[in-house]
Amino acid sequence: MPAYHSIFLQDTDVRLIANFPLLPLRTRTRGPAYTLPALPSSTAAHESPDPDSESYDALDEVLSLYRANTFFRNFEIKGPADRLLIYGILTVGELLGKVPKVGGAREGEKALMNTALDNQFAIPGDAGFPLNQAFEAPRDRQDAETLRQYLSQVRQELAIRLLARLYAGNSSTPSKWWLSFTKRKFMGKSL
């Protein structure tokens, strides 16, 4: 059975930095991404909109495909949108590893947001980036800074959405269903 690929592969009018796409995001976080419309009021914070909705973005796709794709050790990249999917899955894995097993939602929020806001993360082309063979380095310093801002925006928005899923229903303990994937490494890699 093959891994699941991004539905945004057919989007051709997307800005690329090296071979990494800057897809639009549904976010309130500042950054270079084009902002999509907010969720309809009938959709709960821990739910993703329908993939046909104009509010559906690549981060909804990352969260919906995370659990299925973590079982794969190989992933064929079919286009730039798959690179964002890979980065998002690796980021979710890193964030899940930081969730405290005990403590309430407040401690979980603090741990995830501190991880997401940390600007000392590797981007494609850096020596510490785990998938440099599949990602090109930015061409110049300005592109590298724009990519870092975009990835920071992605990390922050993923942390916010993952928190809503981990502590759905105002739970004081994180979802064991999500935490069961903390030890899984997508393609044997981690950020």
Side-chain angles (χ1 to χ4, degrees):
M1 181 175 156
Y4 295 99
H5 293 276
S6 178
I7 63 170
F8 296 99
L9 288 173
Q10 69 269 11
D11 292 353
T12 56
D13 59 339
V14 175
R15 180 176 173 210
L16 295 176
I17 292 183
N19 58 358
F20 198 91
L22 272 61
L23 291 169
L25 303 175
R26 187 184 71 250
T27 182
R28 282 181 252 132
T29 307
R30 276 191 330 171
Y34 173 76
T35 306
L36 292 174
L39 280 176
S41 58
S42 61
T43 307
H46 65 276
E47 296 176 358
S48 291
D50 184 52
D52 295 330
S53 168
E54 65 179 1
S55 296
Y56 189 79
D57 67 359
L59 303 184
D60 291 318
E61 182 178 55
V62 165
L63 290 170
S64 64
L65 295 179
Y66 172 76
R67 294 181 304 268
N69 276 350
T70 54
F71 291 108
F72 293 101
R73 299 206 40 84
N74 298 318
F75 188 87
E76 178 188 359
I77 297 173
K78 294 188 175 184
D82 276 347
R83 288 181 177 84
L84 179 58
L85 181 65
I86 290 170
Y87 186 82
I89 289 172
L90 291 174
T91 301
V92 170
E94 177 187 17
L95 291 170
L96 283 174
K98 303 289 184 180
V99 175
K101 308 293 185 264
V102 293
R106 191 79 181 133
E107 287 82 14
E109 179 181 10
K110 185 188 293 186
L112 289 185
M113 293 312 292
N114 284 341
T115 303
L117 290 171
D118 181 18
N119 282 332
Q120 302 302 318
F121 59 89
I123 64 171
D126 289 351
F129 191 73
L131 290 168
N132 272 332
Q133 69 275 14
F135 291 79
E136 293 176 11
R139 141 190 100 207
D140 57 21
R141 194 176 201 154
Q142 183 179 1
D143 278 355
E145 187 56 36
T146 303
L147 182 60
R148 184 173 298 282
Q149 290 172 355
Y150 181 76
L151 292 178
S152 178
Q153 191 176 12
V154 165
R155 291 166 63 92
Q156 290 173 40
E157 190 61 34
L158 274 173
I160 291 167
R161 294 185 197 182
L162 185 60
L163 273 168
R165 284 164 174 78
L166 279 171
Y167 298 98
N170 296 326
S171 173
S172 62
T173 58
S175 166
K176 291 181 183 178
W177 196 68
W178 273 94
L179 292 183
S180 66
F181 289 88
T182 55
K183 290 189 175 37
R184 288 235 165 247
K185 291 187 191 260
F186 177 59
M187 296 172 39
K189 306 278 184 188
S190 62
L191 290 179

